[in-house]
Amino acid sequence: QATGPYQDKLKSVLLDRDRGLTGLAIRNKRPFYVNGLDRNLHSSFNGVLDKTIGQQTRSLLCMPLQVNREIIGVLEIVNKKTGGFSLQDLKAARFIAQLGSAAIHRAKLYQEHNLFIFILLNTLANAIEAKDPNTRGHTARVRRYSLMIASRLGLSRKDIRVLELAATLHDLGKIAVPEAILKKPDKLSKEEFAQIKLHPRQGAEML
């Protein structure tokens, strides 16, 4: 994801993790800085970003982002405003990289957790529909239409996420309804229909 004045151009750029100065930082798992690139090109400098955004890199600091000794990215600081990079800059960049690595790692864990929850809830929804073959595909349709309406209403990402989960679990209470009632081919009795109508409340209590 790219942000800033060059975000549209940068979105089309894919960097090879095995090439360039970024690749060098990944392979060696060590930070470094290079000054004077506008005068003497480094053998590993390929200038892909310079060509994309029309700038000239004069100095570059590369700091690997590591979590449990695994490289998850590289922090690059380009063109120091005054002079070249120094060991002091390297120390400051290391501190920033530690914070960034921790933040990225937490975000990744959060995404994996959300994916696990989503898969778990979909499995549960499929199990519910398996009890009632007459409504097979119903949950997916409810979720799809709910998200379409939410998009038209301009709801926030957080509200859309909550709505998606609610649509997936809206029939959860059917687990408490006897299969004999769910699969009954004939018209339901008043008592049976009353039991069916309890499933929203039973689902809410389960949650």
Side-chain angles (χ1 to χ4, degrees), residues 17-196:
R17 62 175 290 143
D18 297 321
R19 298 178 61 189
L21 291 173
T22 302
L24 186 63
I26 292 173
R27 288 194 302 275
N28 294 338
K29 296 185 178 182
R30 292 173 58 187
F32 62 86
Y33 58 86
V34 182
N35 294 317
L37 283 170
D38 53 335
R39 299 186 301 273
N40 299 296
L41 286 180
H42 191 281
S43 59
S44 295
F45 183 69
N46 54 29
V48 172
L49 295 181
D50 282 12
K51 296 172 186 176
T52 302
I53 64 179
Q55 77 163 15
Q56 185 175 43
T57 298
R58 301 185 305 276
S59 55
L60 177 67
L61 187 154
C62 292
M63 176 68 67
L65 303 176
Q66 298 189 60
V67 174
N68 299 326
R69 297 185 179 181
E70 177 189 358
I71 302 293
I72 62 171
V74 175
L75 168 67
E76 288 191 357
I77 305 175
V78 181
N79 291 345
K80 186 176 180 180
K81 287 186 177 180
T82 56
F85 289 111
S86 64
L87 289 176
Q88 191 65 30
D89 296 319
L90 211 60
K91 292 178 181 178
R94 181 175 284 110
F95 176 72
I96 296 172
Q98 289 171 347
L99 295 177
S101 298
I104 293 171
H105 184 57
R106 284 196 300 270
K108 185 179 180 181
L109 290 177
Y110 179 75
Q111 289 177 337
E112 291 175 350
H113 173 74
N114 276 353
L115 179 61
F116 171 74
I117 293 296
F118 187 74
I119 292 174
L120 179 64
L121 295 181
N122 270 287
T123 301
L124 185 57
N126 290 335
I128 295 167
E129 289 194 350
K131 287 189 64 177
D132 186 2
N134 295 319
T135 60
R136 186 158 295 154
H138 168 71
T139 297
R141 289 190 296 272
V142 170
R143 183 169 58 237
R144 183 169 67 251
Y145 293 136
S146 297
L147 295 179
M148 289 169 61
I149 294 170
S151 179
R152 291 293 297 272
L153 290 174
L155 298 185
S156 67
R157 290 179 62 183
K158 180 179 179 181
D159 287 341
I160 289 176
R161 176 62 176 164
V162 171
L163 181 63
E164 184 177 18
L165 294 176
T168 302
L169 295 176
H170 77 280
D171 272 341
L172 177 63
K174 282 187 176 180
I175 290 178
V177 179
E179 286 192 35
I181 295 178
L182 290 175
K183 295 181 178 180
K184 184 176 180 180
D186 303 320
K187 184 178 179 179
L188 297 177
S189 67
K190 288 184 178 180
E191 292 76 15
E192 291 169 335
F193 188 54
Q195 193 165 356
I196 285 283

Side-chain angles (χ1 to χ4, degrees), residues 9-24:
K9 292 181 178 180
L10 291 175
K11 285 178 181 178
S12 63
V13 177
L14 293 177
L15 296 178
D16 189 338
R17 62 175 290 143
D18 297 321
R19 298 178 61 189
L21 291 173
T22 302
L24 186 63

